Amino acid sequence: MTDGVTEEDRVRLAPGVMLRQDRVRGHWQLLGPERVLILDEVALEVVRAVTARPPAKVGTAIAALATQFDAPRDEIAADVLELLGDMIAKGFLTR
């Protein structure tokens, strides 16, 4: 599910959501009102890439991630679009 996310979109944290490191438990998380999403290393890199300042288009973030992980861009794009769609549907990110 991509929730209609395209490479032309610009994605940001939803209102009231913060990216935080839980130093006690040793992980990064998105904290929102009455909800939390624990991020693995890949999800953290995706969130950082799409929410960087100034905000970049999703396609620009995908290209950077493909280079960073030395992976085929098409595979990265499919995974990133799916992940972003899920995070938007859950209310952690917005366009």
Side-chain angles (χ1 to χ4, degrees), residues 17-70:
V17 174
M18 298 178 289
L19 176 62
R20 293 280 190 200
Q21 183 179 22
D22 183 336
R23 295 181 193 272
V24 173
R25 292 174 186 87
H27 61 251
W28 284 85
Q29 56 196 7
L30 290 175
L31 293 174
E34 299 186 26
R35 63 186 183 273
V36 64
L37 180 64
I38 297 171
L39 304 174
D40 64 18
E41 292 177 27
V42 174
L44 174 61
E45 292 301 322
V46 170
V47 169
R48 284 180 170 163
V50 299
T51 61
R53 296 277 182 224
K57 290 183 180 179
V58 171
T60 303
I62 289 170
L65 290 165
T67 300
Q68 178 181 344
F69 290 105
D70 192 26

Side-chain angles (χ1 to χ4, degrees), residues 66-81:
T67 300
Q68 178 181 344
F69 290 105
D70 192 26
R73 190 185 189 289
D74 291 345
E75 289 178 24
I76 294 285
D79 292 344
V80 168
L81 293 173

